[in-house]
Amino acid sequence: MVCTHFTELGMIYMAMYQPEIETMPQDQLRALQSERLVKQVRHVYDNVPYYRKKMEEKGLTPDDIKGLDDLHKLPFLTKDDLREAYPYGLMGRPLSDCVRIQSTSGTTGRRVVAFYTQHDVDLWEDCCARAIMAAGGTKDDVVHVSYGYGLFTGGAGLHGGSHKVGSLTLPMSSGNTDRQIQFMVDLESTILCCTPSYAAYLAETIQERGLRDQIKLKAGIFGAEAWSEEMRQDIQNKLGIKAYDIYGLTELSGPGVSYECSEQAGMHICEDHFIAEIIDPDTGEVLPDGTKGELVFTAITKEAFPLLRYRTKDICVLNRTKCSCGRTHVRMAKPMGRSDDMLIIRGVNVFPSQIEEVLLKVSGGDITPNYQIIVGRENNTDTLDINVEMSEAMFSDDIRSVERVEKNIVAQLRSMLGIGAKVHLVNPKTIARSEGKAVRIIDNRKI
């Protein structure tokens, strides 16, 4: 499926999986969203007692929702609601209509289990196919899927999307790095799909083994965890690829809710399936586009697990300016932190993204993007330790140089956070690499 469009610089030939949808004029897209929203609200009200009760508590019926302008009237759903309704309380279809479940990692609290009809799976795979083609993928590519398979959505989503495009799909899953690289070389993989931290580890290993010239990769689709622009550039340089961001949540489907195009200037949300809002995380008030706030999604085509106004806790900005790729769907910025990952340390609100910002600012080639935040408590006082890997070049410097960089980071952190932290520059590759989501924060406090 191919779409062409013109720019002031001449014709650009762009490949899209569903060009008639991806380039739909915004007025038509809004009309489609309104139509699907009205239908979805009726579906949820009739089939999901848990949400119907929430609507009744607000005095709402489906007749009150006539289109997008009425979306703000609907009650929010949160992860607490999903846990309370576990496992079947938010299902919109009988179990006999469902063909699959996926689940969150369950690192805190009760797992979230999402259900899918075959129709849900097909639409999810369409979204992932859009992401692959936006990264330059075609039926002639070899898509190397190193996201985890099983309950985690990463492997299943990109695997299905690759099939929809018609690419040769390597269902590698995570782990076994030796085999990953062997297949990458032998089968000439061209598109790598995995977490950014695992991509960085693969890049390091490939360089160490002198295999860079034998790798045929041209693009990578990386998501499931936060990563910085510096990390993107590092991966791109080491692997000789273009690295694309992808976003998703198990609660909505998985990866493919939004994805980057060739411009790498925000991720296009699949607005024919998901309505995005930005709200004030404290008041719930809907904020105008271009304002930073909490991202909220409404799934307007999902059958088995149809969430309305789900609060993601991700902080970001929506951008509706025209994208030169030709796609008309709104773009979301890379999440700028979360409204719920705030650490309170000695009474001060600390976001991990603030710490990463300081590390990037003072890097200068002395440190790598690999770091770990360790929070503890001694004598009823919170402690904050930050381990940061040195670069290979820094590792060979004298101890005074190391101390100088540590002191600089400490000073910058105090300026940013208003509290002191202990910074430890550690040897290269001593912070554990992750084949799944990188563990950036270790909170050892027993509060």
Side-chain angles (χ1 to χ4, degrees):
M1 301 182 183
V2 175
C3 170
T4 60
H5 70 277
F6 291 84
T7 71
E8 295 178 358
L9 299 177
M11 190 177 82
I12 297 178
Y13 196 72
M14 297 292 295
M16 299 183 190
Y17 179 67
Q18 294 171 313
E20 71 286 351
I21 298 173
E22 295 175 64
T23 62
M24 183 180 287
Q26 290 193 358
D27 58 341
Q28 294 181 28
L29 190 54
R30 283 184 60 84
L32 177 64
Q33 287 182 316
S34 285
E35 176 186 336
R36 289 181 170 178
L37 174 64
V38 170
K39 182 179 178 181
Q40 187 74 313
V41 170
R42 170 59 69 180
H43 166 54
V44 170
Y45 189 87
D46 289 345
N47 296 288
V48 185
Y50 187 95
Y51 198 81
R52 180 168 66 245
K53 181 181 178 183
K54 279 182 164 285
M55 289 182 64
E56 290 172 344
E57 288 171 352
K58 293 193 71 171
L60 290 174
T61 71
D63 293 336
D64 295 311
I65 308 301
K66 297 178 171 59
L68 278 181
D69 291 340
D70 296 320
L71 178 62
H72 70 279
K73 298 176 182 178
L74 292 169
F76 293 113
L77 278 172
T78 67
K79 186 159 284 190
D80 287 341
D81 288 309
L82 271 59
R83 289 171 178 149
E84 183 180 331
Y86 173 91
Y88 297 126
L90 285 167
M91 287 184 66
R93 282 284 187 264
L95 198 60
S96 58
D97 290 348
C98 299
V99 299
R100 187 192 300 176
I101 69 161
Q102 304 283 168
S103 178
T104 58
S105 57
T107 52
T108 59
R110 182 179 284 179
R111 281 182 177 270
V112 171
V113 176
F115 298 83
Y116 301 74
T117 64
Q118 186 58 53
H119 180 67
D120 294 334
V121 172
D122 289 339
L123 296 186
W124 175 24
E125 292 177 349
D126 284 344
C127 292
C128 289
R130 293 181 195 178
I132 290 170
M133 291 194 70
T138 70
K139 65 181 181 61
D140 297 318
D141 278 293
V142 178
V143 178
H144 190 113
V145 184
S146 295
Y147 286 112
Y149 280 66
L151 290 173
F152 178 56
T153 57
L158 273 302
H159 180 106
S162 177
H163 277 213
K164 287 286 185 81
V165 173
S167 308
L168 177 63
T169 309
L170 303 187
M172 300 300 299
S173 194
S174 57
N176 200 331
T177 299
D178 289 341
R179 184 175 62 190
Q180 298 274 359
I181 295 175
Q182 179 189 343
F183 273 63
M184 198 176 290
V185 171
D186 295 347
L187 298 178
E188 299 185 342
S189 305
T190 54
I191 298 178
L192 174 63
C193 304
C194 63
T195 61
S197 57
Y198 193 49
Y201 180 57
L202 285 170
E204 289 177 359
T205 307
I206 287 166
Q207 279 202 331
E208 287 173 355
R209 298 181 184 180
L211 297 174
R212 176 64 187 83
D213 292 340
Q214 298 181 47
I215 299 297
K216 306 298 182 184
L217 292 175
K218 68 177 185 181
I221 301 175
F222 307 134
E225 65 185 17
W227 54 309
S228 63
E229 283 302 311
E230 182 184 70
M231 191 172 186
R232 185 210 295 264
Q233 294 302 323
D234 186 59
I235 293 170
Q236 289 186 152
N237 292 338
K238 286 180 178 175
L239 289 178
I241 65 172
K242 195 162 184 175
Y244 295 82
D245 211 345
I246 190 169
Y247 175 91
L249 304 94
T250 300
E251 298 90 326
L252 295 175
S253 64
V257 171
S258 67
Y259 56 88
E260 275 189 326
C261 64
S262 57
E263 296 304 303
Q264 295 177 303
M267 292 172 277
H268 290 280
I269 295 171
C270 293
E271 288 193 280
D272 52 321
H273 299 301
F274 307 102
I275 300 172
E277 303 172 89
I278 295 292
I279 66 167
D280 183 313
D282 297 321
T283 67
E285 175 191 1
V286 179
L287 302 175
D289 290 341
T291 306
K292 185 167 71 171
E294 182 183 339
L295 183 61
V296 173
F297 276 116
T298 294
I300 50 177
T301 55
K302 290 235 13 204
E303 296 178 331
F305 205 64
L307 300 190
L308 304 181
R309 301 199 81 197
Y310 179 67
R311 295 185 61 162
T312 68
K313 300 296 184 180
D314 285 325
I315 302 296
C316 77
V317 174
L318 297 181
N319 178 5
R320 293 194 181 275
T321 60
K322 186 176 180 180
C323 183
S324 60
C325 79
R327 292 175 179 83
T328 53
H329 294 211
V330 68
R331 284 171 288 167
M332 59 175 279
K334 185 189 292 289
M336 305 165 185
R338 289 180 57 82
S339 62
D340 65 348
D341 71 353
M342 181 179 69
L343 298 165
I344 301 178
I345 302 174
R346 294 173 228 150
V348 176
N349 296 342
V350 176
F351 284 91
S353 56
Q354 294 174 302
I355 294 173
E356 179 164 324
E357 181 180 339
V358 168
L359 297 180
L360 295 179
K361 186 185 298 183
V362 302
S363 172
D366 292 328
I367 60 177
T368 76
N370 295 302
Y371 67 93
Q372 202 160 58
I373 302 165
I374 302 172
V375 186
R377 175 160 284 201
E378 294 178 4
N379 300 321
N380 296 317
T381 300
D382 293 334
T383 60
L384 176 60
D385 289 78
I386 302 168
N387 294 335
V388 188
E389 278 188 2
M390 290 182 279
S391 65
E392 293 287 352
M394 185 69 186
F395 180 56
S396 62
D397 285 351
D398 59 67
I399 192 168
R400 288 185 179 178
S401 297
V402 173
E403 290 174 348
R404 173 184 54 79
V405 175
E406 286 179 341
K407 288 179 180 178
N408 186 21
I409 297 174
V410 168
Q412 294 286 345
L413 285 171
R414 182 176 289 279
S415 176
M416 168 71 80
L417 305 176
I419 60 173
K422 293 181 180 179
V423 174
H424 313 276
L425 293 188
V426 299
N427 294 345
K429 301 175 188 173
T430 54
I431 295 177
R433 299 301 197 273
S434 173
E435 292 168 351
K437 290 191 178 184
V439 179
R440 298 292 192 199
I441 305 168
I442 299 175
D443 194 338
N444 292 322
R445 294 175 295 182
K446 306 297 181 184
I447 301 176

